Amino acid sequence: MEISALLIAGLLVALLAVLTVVRAVRIVPQARARNVERLGRYHRTLKPGLSVVIPYVDRVYPVIDLREQVVSFKPQPVITEDNLVVEIDTVLYFQVTDPRAAAYEIANFLQAVEQLTVTTLRNVVGSMDLEKTLTSRDTINSQLRGVLDEATGKWGLRVNRVEIKAIDPPQSIKDAMEKQMRAERDKRAAILGAEGQRQSQILTAEGDKQSAVLRAEGNRTAEILKAEGQSRAIDEVFQAVHRNDPDPQLLAYQYLQILPQLAQGTGNTVWVIPSEVTSALHNVTRAFNEVLPQSAATRETSSDDLARQAASDAAKAAEAAAEALAEAAEADSKTANALSARPQAAGRDAGTAPPGESPS
């Protein structure tokens, strides 16, 4: 009995010694810290590594993370200057710099940081309208960071960055903004279409102008070249005529040759014989009755051949002139018959008019 009691006592002493050693030795991980109270009063902060405390006298508090922490707060309703309620979602980046102040200066630093962020956000956004709120995220972030960093300094915290993750206006405002953006896009599209059409019309008008100018220049050049060609042809004919030394009889002969061509038109019902025909016939007759001087072009031809050729041409010309005169006389007779027939027809029409009406 005594042996078993001593064994139990030894086991209890050994267990107490092990428990004492365990409570006396504390290992703190890297980037962590633990506060130690001795007899209910803050004593020290354990650094990373192996530390020894007095068991049953020193009280070691839970680990405090010294790394930078990220906290995302749920969306908070905020009223803007123009009385619109928007939902703002924020993200906070902070770091514990003083474990003692984080444990003893504030009861729950995470809750305190969240509430301070919400109140500061409402103060900042409340002085802005909706459009400025949507386009001034950097300004809001910098103002929030300045206020939070100043307020949390005494809590042993350092706010590194505050980011606005989302700003959600009401659905009606979203619909109105979408309509406004659609109207702006339609306006820009209409302006671009009008600019393109105007540029197209300008380019088309420029092309038509250049085409008309080039066409006019081409026509002018063609007319000039045509006039120059006609001028040269007339000059060549004139020079050739003067080189061959023509006389009035030759010109009269050519005049008689042109007369049949004047009477060949299909619309010629009345053909007036010019007064020059008699003089032309007289000149031709006199030319064959007299001895004509030889020109430079016909001096090498014998006089008999010239006489025969001239007689043949004169006979042809006289025959053509006689035919032309006959056609002209026939046309004159037809015209006279048509003119005499009109009064008779008018008389018949007047005789058959209905009674009571005077003939016109």
Side-chain angles (χ1 to χ4, degrees):
M1 295 293 296
E2 295 179 358
I3 296 175
S4 60
L6 292 175
L7 180 60
I8 293 173
L11 291 175
L12 291 175
V13 171
L15 181 61
L16 181 61
V18 172
L19 182 60
T20 301
V21 171
V22 170
R23 292 179 62 89
V25 178
R26 298 299 176 93
I27 298 176
V28 180
Q30 182 66 34
R32 309 289 196 281
R34 302 185 71 174
N35 293 323
V36 179
E37 290 182 356
R38 179 169 293 178
L39 300 177
R41 183 178 180 182
Y42 173 76
H43 177 64
R44 63 180 177 135
T45 300
L46 299 181
K47 303 296 181 180
L50 180 63
S51 299
V52 179
V53 297
I54 299 175
Y56 312 111
V57 177
D58 293 340
R59 181 182 176 184
V60 181
Y61 277 84
V63 175
I64 298 176
D65 198 340
L66 301 180
R67 297 173 296 178
E68 185 174 5
Q69 301 180 41
V70 180
V71 180
S72 178
F73 303 128
K74 62 181 181 179
Q76 298 293 330
V78 181
I79 301 177
T80 61
E81 187 180 12
D82 48 357
N83 298 324
L84 292 176
V85 180
V86 294
E87 298 285 338
I88 300 181
D89 190 3
T90 56
V91 179
L92 181 66
Y93 298 83
F94 71 95
Q95 186 178 9
V96 177
T97 58
D98 188 357
R100 177 183 175 279
Y104 296 101
E105 295 295 336
I106 188 71
N108 189 343
F109 61 85
L110 285 178
Q111 185 179 0
V113 168
E114 180 181 1
Q115 296 302 321
L116 181 61
T117 302
V118 172
T119 55
T120 306
L121 184 63
R122 288 176 178 174
N123 292 332
V124 173
V125 176
S127 61
M128 301 179 180
D129 56 7
L130 178 61
E131 185 176 358
K132 189 175 181 181
T133 301
L134 295 175
T135 58
S136 303
R137 293 194 177 190
D138 293 338
T139 303
I140 297 174
N141 293 338
S142 61
Q143 292 183 8
L144 284 175
R145 183 180 178 278
V147 174
L148 292 175
D149 196 13
E150 182 180 358
T152 59
K154 62 180 181 179
W155 299 341
L157 305 177
R158 184 180 64 201
V159 178
N160 296 327
R161 189 167 49 183
V162 180
E163 295 291 341
I164 294 179
K165 187 165 61 175
I167 300 177
D168 296 328
Q171 187 63 35
S172 60
I173 301 300
K174 289 182 180 179
D175 296 339
M177 294 172 61
E178 185 177 358
K179 291 180 181 179
Q180 182 181 2
M181 294 302 299
R182 188 182 301 112
E184 289 291 335
R185 287 192 295 268
D186 294 340
K187 175 184 175 182
R188 289 196 295 267
I191 292 174
L192 292 177
E195 289 289 338
Q197 185 177 3
R198 183 174 70 89
Q199 192 68 21
S200 175
Q201 292 178 355
I202 290 174
L203 293 177
T204 303
E206 290 290 337
D208 294 340
K209 175 184 175 182
Q210 294 180 2
S211 176
V213 170
L214 293 176
R215 191 180 297 109
E217 291 180 354
N219 294 333
R220 184 187 66 178
T221 305
E223 293 295 334
I224 291 174
L225 294 176
K226 183 178 180 180
E228 290 179 355
Q230 292 178 355
S231 175
R232 291 182 181 178
I234 293 172
D235 185 68
E236 290 293 334
V237 172
F238 185 77
Q239 294 294 333
V241 169
H242 280 276
R243 282 197 305 268
N244 291 324
D245 192 15
D247 52 3
Q249 289 79 10
L250 179 60
L251 297 178
Y253 174 69
Q254 292 292 332
Y255 184 77
L256 292 177
Q257 286 184 334
I258 294 299
L259 288 177
Q261 298 179 6
L262 296 177
Q264 290 178 1
T266 56
N268 293 335
T269 57
V270 178
W271 186 57
V272 180
I273 301 174
S275 60
E276 289 84 355
V277 174
T278 306
S279 60
L281 291 173
H282 179 69
N283 291 330
V284 171
T285 304
R286 189 178 61 184
F288 286 102
N289 291 330
E290 297 177 357
V291 180
L292 298 177
Q294 292 183 351
S295 62
T298 58
R299 286 173 184 172
E300 296 180 358
T301 308
S302 62
S303 58
D304 296 337
D305 294 337
L306 291 175
R308 286 193 298 271
Q309 183 67 27
S312 176
D313 292 340
K316 292 180 180 180
E319 184 179 357
E323 292 178 356
L325 291 174
E327 291 178 358
E330 184 180 357
D332 291 339
S333 63
K334 289 181 180 180
T335 303
N337 293 331
L339 292 176
S340 61
R342 287 182 180 178
Q344 296 177 2
R348 286 195 301 271
D349 294 337
T352 58
E357 295 183 3
S358 61
S360 58

